[in-house]
Amino acid sequence: MAESKRLPLSRQDEAALRARQIETLLDEGLERYFAGRHEEAIHLWTRVLFLDRSHARAHAYIERARTAMAELQRRSDELLQASRELLEQGETEAARQLLSEAMSASGDDLQASALRVRLERLERVVFVAPTQDLPLTVALGPAT
């Protein structure tokens, strides 16, 4: 197989190639950021920092994405807490709706899973024995 013979790049060519790579990574990161895929965007922008440690836009974009992720988590935590409160009041349908919103925002984490299990347990108890008056703590199990 013939070897590819490349001429060494000049400093200007290397700088131009690096600038194109950086712009491509920044653009791909922005696409992922606006698609809500913040971790992927951060990964791409971090690659920019490997090429240029002091790249101000990459640093700013990473910070913005981290802030957006923290806000999503805060909102999800609020929804989980509100869902938990509704569940303790016996409002299963409203609790399920808020739980679904929380899970769509941040995924199925440990807290959401535990709340979903409690909700399903309560719905089974209510469905199986709708005429029995069970104390809510028996149906829900211990609070988490």
Side-chain angles (χ1 to χ4, degrees), residues 18-83:
R18 182 174 297 137
R20 283 194 304 272
Q21 289 174 326
I22 286 172
E23 285 304 314
T24 299
L25 290 168
L26 290 171
D27 290 344
E28 289 176 10
L30 286 170
E31 287 176 16
R32 286 178 177 76
Y33 174 83
F34 288 116
R37 296 166 28 205
H38 299 104
E39 288 180 19
E40 292 176 31
I42 289 172
H43 174 74
L44 290 167
W45 295 327
T46 301
R47 288 175 54 194
V48 169
L49 296 179
F50 282 115
L51 297 171
D52 178 359
R53 288 182 185 212
S54 63
H55 198 280
R57 281 180 31 210
H59 282 289
Y61 289 167
I62 289 169
E63 185 60 32
R64 182 180 296 171
R66 286 181 178 155
T67 300
M69 288 171 59
E71 178 60 23
L72 286 172
Q73 186 61 49
R74 185 197 63 73
R75 177 70 180 135
S76 176
D77 290 346
E78 280 181 357
L79 291 169
L80 282 174
Q81 181 59 35
S83 178

XYZ file of all heavy atoms in Angstrom, residues 18-83:
552
model
N -6.658 24.530 13.229
C -7.124 24.535 14.619
C -8.341 25.448 14.773
O -9.315 25.095 15.438
C -6.006 24.967 15.546
C -6.444 24.937 17.014
C -5.319 25.213 17.976
N -4.338 24.154 17.819
C -3.026 24.366 17.785
N -2.535 25.575 17.905
N -2.191 23.361 17.653
N -8.325 26.605 14.141
C -9.456 27.541 14.218
C -10.713 26.912 13.615
O -11.805 27.067 14.163
C -9.120 28.844 13.503
N -10.569 26.196 12.508
C -11.728 25.511 11.898
C -12.260 24.403 12.816
O -13.468 24.250 12.970
C -11.364 24.944 10.530
C -11.310 25.992 9.440
C -11.292 25.379 8.032
N -10.201 24.431 7.817
C -8.981 24.751 7.396
N -8.691 26.020 7.144
N -8.052 23.826 7.226
N -11.334 23.647 13.416
C -11.759 22.596 14.342
C -12.515 23.194 15.525
O -13.556 22.670 15.940
C -10.549 21.809 14.857
C -9.901 20.910 13.848
C -8.626 20.279 14.386
O -7.890 20.887 15.165
N -8.376 19.051 13.961
N -11.998 24.278 16.046
C -12.643 24.937 17.188
C -14.035 25.420 16.805
O -15.001 25.184 17.545
C -11.759 26.092 17.708
C -10.555 25.512 18.452
C -12.553 27.042 18.602
C -9.509 26.538 18.859
N -14.163 26.085 15.677
C -15.478 26.579 15.254
C -16.466 25.426 15.045
O -17.635 25.525 15.410
C -15.365 27.427 13.985
C -14.800 28.811 14.229
C -15.578 29.612 15.272
O -16.832 29.642 15.217
O -14.933 30.220 16.145
N -15.983 24.340 14.465
C -16.840 23.175 14.257
C -17.317 22.617 15.594
O -18.510 22.322 15.778
C -16.092 22.082 13.456
O -15.742 22.610 12.179
C -16.951 20.846 13.279
N -16.405 22.476 16.542
C -16.768 21.963 17.869
C -17.735 22.904 18.586
O -18.691 22.450 19.229
C -15.512 21.734 18.709
C -14.628 20.572 18.278
C -13.283 20.622 18.998
C -15.321 19.238 18.525
N -17.491 24.195 18.480
C -18.394 25.167 19.110
C -19.797 25.067 18.512
O -20.796 25.040 19.243
C -17.854 26.593 18.945
C -16.606 26.949 19.749
C -16.073 28.313 19.320
C -16.879 26.913 21.243
N -19.878 24.984 17.191
C -21.177 24.895 16.519
C -21.903 23.596 16.875
O -23.104 23.614 17.150
C -21.017 24.999 15.000
C -20.618 26.397 14.547
O -20.752 27.349 15.346
O -20.151 26.522 13.390
N -21.176 22.477 16.864
C -21.798 21.199 17.222
C -22.277 21.224 18.669
O -23.347 20.692 18.996
C -20.815 20.051 17.000
C -20.544 19.751 15.549
C -19.495 18.664 15.351
O -19.095 18.002 16.336
O -19.068 18.474 14.191
N -21.495 21.853 19.533
C -21.902 21.989 20.928
C -23.165 22.816 21.075
O -24.062 22.479 21.854
N -23.257 23.890 20.318
C -24.455 24.729 20.369
C -25.686 23.970 19.888
O -26.777 24.102 20.461
C -24.267 26.006 19.547
C -23.365 27.062 20.176
C -23.053 28.169 19.176
C -23.994 27.628 21.435
N -25.527 23.168 18.847
C -26.645 22.363 18.364
C -27.145 21.430 19.460
O -28.354 21.301 19.682
C -26.226 21.546 17.140
C -26.067 22.355 15.877
C -25.551 21.518 14.709
O -25.608 20.268 14.779
O -25.092 22.123 13.726
N -26.228 20.789 20.135
C -26.621 19.868 21.209
C -27.210 20.634 22.404
O -28.169 20.186 23.013
C -25.438 19.009 21.617
C -25.166 17.954 20.542
C -23.967 17.116 20.871
N -23.708 16.074 19.917
C -23.171 16.247 18.716
N -22.871 17.454 18.287
N -22.927 15.218 17.924
N -26.626 21.769 22.714
C -27.135 22.580 23.822
C -28.591 22.964 23.579
O -29.439 22.807 24.455
C -26.270 23.841 23.985
C -26.803 24.808 25.002
C -26.535 24.634 26.353
C -27.596 25.894 24.623
C -27.023 25.518 27.301
C -28.081 26.784 25.558
C -27.800 26.589 26.891
O -28.303 27.458 27.824
N -28.898 23.461 22.383
C -30.259 23.891 22.095
C -31.215 22.716 21.917
O -32.429 22.895 21.996
C -30.290 24.828 20.887
C -29.708 26.178 21.195
C -28.563 26.626 20.555
C -30.288 27.000 22.156
C -28.022 27.867 20.852
C -29.755 28.242 22.464
C -28.608 28.674 21.802
N -30.666 21.517 21.734
C -31.493 20.307 21.690
C -31.695 19.743 23.094
O -32.343 18.710 23.262
C -30.848 19.259 20.789
N -31.140 20.424 24.107
C -31.306 19.978 25.486
C -30.326 18.892 25.899
O -30.457 18.312 26.967
N -29.315 18.651 25.094
C -28.317 17.621 25.397
C -27.064 18.309 25.945
O -26.018 18.346 25.319
C -28.043 16.793 24.139
C -29.301 16.050 23.715
C -29.333 15.459 22.348
N -28.085 15.067 21.730
C -27.914 14.996 20.425
N -28.912 15.270 19.608
N -26.759 14.626 19.924
N -27.221 18.847 27.148
C -26.211 19.700 27.754
C -24.890 18.977 28.024
O -23.822 19.557 27.821
C -26.745 20.316 29.046
C -27.949 21.159 28.816
N -29.212 20.743 29.137
C -28.092 22.390 28.261
C -30.072 21.680 28.804
N -29.428 22.686 28.266
N -24.944 17.752 28.496
C -23.705 17.033 28.795
C -22.884 16.812 27.536
O -21.650 16.934 27.558
C -24.008 15.716 29.489
C -24.484 15.903 30.909
C -24.785 14.587 31.610
O -24.301 13.533 31.157
O -25.494 14.627 32.622
N -23.546 16.483 26.436
C -22.834 16.312 25.165
C -22.211 17.631 24.717
O -21.087 17.652 24.199
C -23.774 15.789 24.085
C -24.248 14.374 24.315
C -25.266 13.935 23.268
O -25.181 14.406 22.108
O -26.129 13.121 23.610
N -22.933 18.715 24.899
C -22.405 20.029 24.527
C -21.168 20.351 25.348
O -20.149 20.806 24.801
C -23.475 21.101 24.727
N -21.228 20.093 26.640
C -20.071 20.348 27.507
C -18.878 19.521 27.050
O -17.747 20.007 27.018
C -20.424 20.071 28.982
C -21.387 21.155 29.497
C -19.159 20.016 29.846
C -21.956 20.875 30.871
N -19.126 18.278 26.681
C -18.043 17.422 26.203
C -17.368 18.044 24.975
O -16.128 18.097 24.890
C -18.578 16.031 25.873
C -17.570 15.130 25.249
N -16.547 14.554 25.955
C -17.410 14.730 23.969
C -15.797 13.838 25.139
N -16.306 13.928 23.927
N -18.155 18.514 24.026
C -17.590 19.122 22.824
C -16.814 20.400 23.143
O -15.721 20.631 22.617
C -18.687 19.398 21.802
C -19.282 18.143 21.153
C -20.557 18.486 20.408
C -18.272 17.496 20.231
N -17.369 21.229 24.006
C -16.694 22.475 24.343
C -15.423 22.220 25.155
O -14.470 22.996 25.076
C -17.651 23.407 25.065
C -18.780 23.849 24.181
C -18.738 24.059 22.830
C -20.111 24.125 24.582
N -19.968 24.462 22.377
C -20.837 24.504 23.420
C -20.788 24.097 25.794
C -22.185 24.859 23.452
C -22.129 24.439 25.829
C -22.816 24.816 24.669
N -15.417 21.134 25.916
C -14.200 20.765 26.630
C -13.099 20.388 25.642
O -11.921 20.674 25.870
C -14.483 19.611 27.611
O -15.489 20.035 28.539
C -13.233 19.209 28.379
N -13.490 19.759 24.552
C -12.507 19.439 23.506
C -11.898 20.714 22.926
O -10.720 20.732 22.557
C -13.145 18.589 22.414
C -13.422 17.168 22.895
C -14.158 16.324 21.893
N -13.499 16.297 20.601
C -14.088 15.843 19.490
N -15.328 15.384 19.532
N -13.440 15.839 18.344
N -12.692 21.772 22.852
C -12.155 23.064 22.400
C -11.048 23.506 23.351
O -9.989 23.988 22.917
C -13.264 24.140 22.318
C -12.666 25.524 22.110
C -14.261 23.809 21.222
N -11.265 23.304 24.646
C -10.268 23.733 25.628
C -8.981 22.924 25.525
O -7.916 23.397 25.924
C -10.848 23.667 27.040
C -12.022 24.613 27.300
C -12.542 24.445 28.717
C -11.649 26.048 27.007
N -9.055 21.720 25.002
C -7.827 20.967 24.756
C -7.016 21.620 23.638
O -5.792 21.544 23.627
C -8.132 19.512 24.394
C -8.473 18.656 25.571
C -9.730 18.109 25.685
C -7.545 18.400 26.569
C -10.061 17.309 26.768
C -7.858 17.615 27.662
C -9.119 17.064 27.769
N -7.715 22.228 22.708
C -7.034 22.908 21.606
C -6.577 24.311 21.992
O -5.569 24.806 21.501
C -7.958 22.980 20.383
C -8.361 21.639 19.781
C -9.450 21.828 18.721
C -7.150 20.933 19.192
N -7.355 24.963 22.858
C -7.033 26.329 23.289
C -7.558 26.505 24.714
O -8.748 26.774 24.916
C -7.661 27.348 22.336
C -7.407 28.788 22.732
O -6.753 29.035 23.775
O -7.865 29.679 21.997
N -6.683 26.351 25.678
C -7.086 26.389 27.094
C -7.779 27.674 27.514
O -8.574 27.674 28.433
C -5.866 26.213 27.997
C -5.319 24.859 27.995
C -4.161 24.787 28.949
N -3.551 23.485 28.856
C -2.984 22.883 29.859
N -2.916 23.477 31.030
N -2.465 21.707 29.703
N -7.466 28.739 26.863
C -8.012 30.028 27.291
C -9.162 30.506 26.408
O -9.499 31.680 26.432
C -6.892 31.077 27.297
O -6.400 31.254 25.976
N -9.790 29.608 25.674
C -10.865 30.007 24.759
C -12.070 30.507 25.569
O -12.770 29.736 26.230
C -11.257 28.837 23.861
C -12.020 29.261 22.659
N -13.368 29.538 22.699
C -11.610 29.486 21.383
C -13.765 29.897 21.492
N -12.719 29.870 20.678
N -12.309 31.801 25.500
C -13.329 32.442 26.343
C -14.735 31.938 26.028
O -15.536 31.706 26.943
C -13.256 33.954 26.182
N -15.072 31.790 24.749
C -16.428 31.333 24.405
C -16.681 29.924 24.913
O -17.766 29.633 25.420
C -16.642 31.402 22.883
C -16.934 32.798 22.418
C -17.162 32.955 20.930
N -17.750 31.848 20.226
C -17.514 31.565 18.939
N -16.681 32.311 18.242
N -18.100 30.559 18.357
N -15.694 29.050 24.786
C -15.872 27.677 25.267
C -16.115 27.680 26.774
O -17.013 26.994 27.264
C -14.657 26.819 24.912
N -15.339 28.469 27.505
C -15.542 28.570 28.960
C -16.946 29.099 29.269
O -17.640 28.564 30.154
C -14.490 29.485 29.593
C -13.157 28.852 29.780
N -12.913 27.870 30.711
C -11.975 29.062 29.137
C -11.645 27.501 30.651
N -11.055 28.208 29.696
N -17.362 30.128 28.560
C -18.685 30.721 28.799
C -19.799 29.739 28.453
O -20.786 29.627 29.203
C -18.844 32.002 27.981
N -19.657 29.023 27.345
C -20.675 28.046 26.960
C -20.783 26.921 27.981
O -21.885 26.482 28.324
C -20.365 27.460 25.582
C -20.556 28.399 24.407
C -20.044 28.053 23.163
C -21.232 29.605 24.523
C -20.215 28.880 22.058
C -21.404 30.437 23.430
C -20.894 30.068 22.204
O -21.066 30.896 21.119
N -19.644 26.450 28.460
C -19.655 25.384 29.465
C -20.362 25.862 30.725
O -21.189 25.149 31.297
C -18.218 24.907 29.761
C -17.661 24.126 28.559
C -18.174 24.050 31.027
C -16.171 23.843 28.638
N -20.047 27.064 31.145
C -20.687 27.614 32.351
C -22.197 27.750 32.146
O -22.992 27.428 33.031
C -20.062 28.963 32.708
C -20.577 29.540 34.002
C -20.305 28.639 35.202
O -19.288 27.936 35.213
O -21.135 28.642 36.134
N -22.599 28.208 30.976
C -24.024 28.354 30.680
C -24.728 26.998 30.700
O -25.829 26.862 31.243
C -24.225 29.023 29.323
C -25.703 29.234 28.991
C -25.890 29.897 27.668
N -25.331 31.239 27.709
C -25.185 32.004 26.648
N -25.525 31.566 25.455
N -24.692 33.204 26.757
N -24.098 25.988 30.130
C -24.696 24.654 30.103
C -24.794 24.083 31.506
O -25.801 23.463 31.862
C -23.884 23.727 29.199
N -23.779 24.290 32.313
C -23.825 23.803 33.705
C -24.933 24.502 34.491
O -25.628 23.883 35.285
C -22.472 24.004 34.377
C -21.437 23.026 33.893
C -20.116 23.222 34.594
N -19.158 22.221 34.140
C -17.859 22.377 34.183
N -17.330 23.499 34.671
N -17.057 21.431 33.751
N -25.093 25.788 34.248
C -26.169 26.532 34.905
C -27.531 26.005 34.462
O -28.433 25.829 35.284
C -26.047 28.037 34.584
O -24.786 28.508 35.057
C -27.166 28.835 35.225
N -27.679 25.729 33.182
C -28.946 25.189 32.668
C -29.229 23.821 33.274
O -30.376 23.519 33.645
C -28.903 25.091 31.143
N -28.200 22.993 33.402
C -28.385 21.669 34.001
C -28.788 21.794 35.474
O -29.671 21.064 35.945
C -27.099 20.847 33.880
C -26.809 20.386 32.464
S -25.182 19.634 32.253
C -25.247 18.269 33.394
N -28.174 22.725 36.180
C -28.522 22.937 37.588
C -29.960 23.430 37.725
O -30.692 23.012 38.632
C -27.556 23.932 38.224
N -30.380 24.297 36.831
C -31.761 24.798 36.860
C -32.754 23.677 36.564
O -33.808 23.581 37.204
C -31.933 25.947 35.863
C -33.334 26.498 35.787
C -33.873 27.054 37.093
O -33.081 27.434 37.978
O -35.115 27.092 37.245
N -32.435 22.833 35.599
C -33.305 21.687 35.309
C -33.419 20.771 36.529
O -34.501 20.276 36.841
C -32.778 20.894 34.109
C -32.976 21.525 32.743
C -32.225 20.734 31.672
C -34.458 21.591 32.401
N -32.301 20.561 37.199
C -32.315 19.714 38.389
C -33.138 20.356 39.506
O -33.902 19.685 40.191
C -30.892 19.431 38.867
C -30.829 18.446 40.018
C -31.398 17.089 39.657
O -31.043 16.529 38.633
N -32.273 16.567 40.483
N -32.978 21.665 39.685
C -33.748 22.377 40.721
C -35.240 22.268 40.441
O -36.034 21.967 41.330
C -33.330 23.853 40.769
C -34.004 24.634 41.913
C -33.900 26.129 41.692
N -34.585 26.595 40.513
C -35.928 26.696 40.392
N -36.714 26.343 41.370
N -36.472 27.159 39.268
N -35.614 22.471 39.189
C -37.021 22.383 38.796
C -37.554 20.971 38.996
O -38.664 20.775 39.489
C -37.188 22.829 37.334
C -38.574 22.717 36.793
C -39.506 23.737 37.407
N -40.821 23.578 36.833
C -41.939 23.571 37.521
N -41.917 23.790 38.818
N -43.098 23.393 36.935
N -36.753 19.994 38.637
C -37.153 18.603 38.816
C -37.346 18.285 40.301
O -38.309 17.601 40.678
C -36.102 17.671 38.212
O -36.434 16.325 38.454
N -36.438 18.782 41.137
C -36.566 18.560 42.579
C -37.844 19.191 43.125
O -38.522 18.609 43.979
C -35.351 19.127 43.323
C -34.086 18.320 43.067
O -34.172 17.187 42.540
O -32.990 18.847 43.383
N -38.186 20.376 42.637
C -39.436 21.030 43.054
C -40.644 20.180 42.660
O -41.576 20.016 43.447
C -39.570 22.408 42.401
C -38.791 23.505 43.033
C -39.013 24.842 42.326
O -39.732 24.900 41.305
O -38.466 25.847 42.813
N -40.636 19.677 41.433
C -41.744 18.846 40.961
C -41.854 17.557 41.764
O -42.959 17.114 42.099
C -41.585 18.527 39.470
C -41.771 19.700 38.510
C -41.336 19.322 37.096
C -43.218 20.170 38.511
N -40.715 16.958 42.090
C -40.730 15.740 42.909
C -41.314 16.018 44.291
O -42.112 15.228 44.806
C -39.328 15.153 43.045
C -38.796 14.377 41.863
C -37.343 13.980 42.097
C -39.645 13.150 41.599
N -40.909 17.144 44.890
C -41.430 17.488 46.215
C -42.939 17.740 46.158
O -43.693 17.260 47.005
C -40.712 18.717 46.782
C -41.178 19.112 48.168
C -40.993 18.016 49.198
O -40.037 17.254 49.148
N -41.925 17.928 50.134
N -43.382 18.466 45.152
C -44.818 18.726 45.018
C -45.575 17.425 44.770
O -46.668 17.213 45.318
C -45.069 19.714 43.877
N -44.998 16.545 43.979
C -45.621 15.240 43.714
C -45.722 14.428 44.995
O -46.746 13.803 45.276
C -44.811 14.485 42.660
O -45.362 13.222 42.426
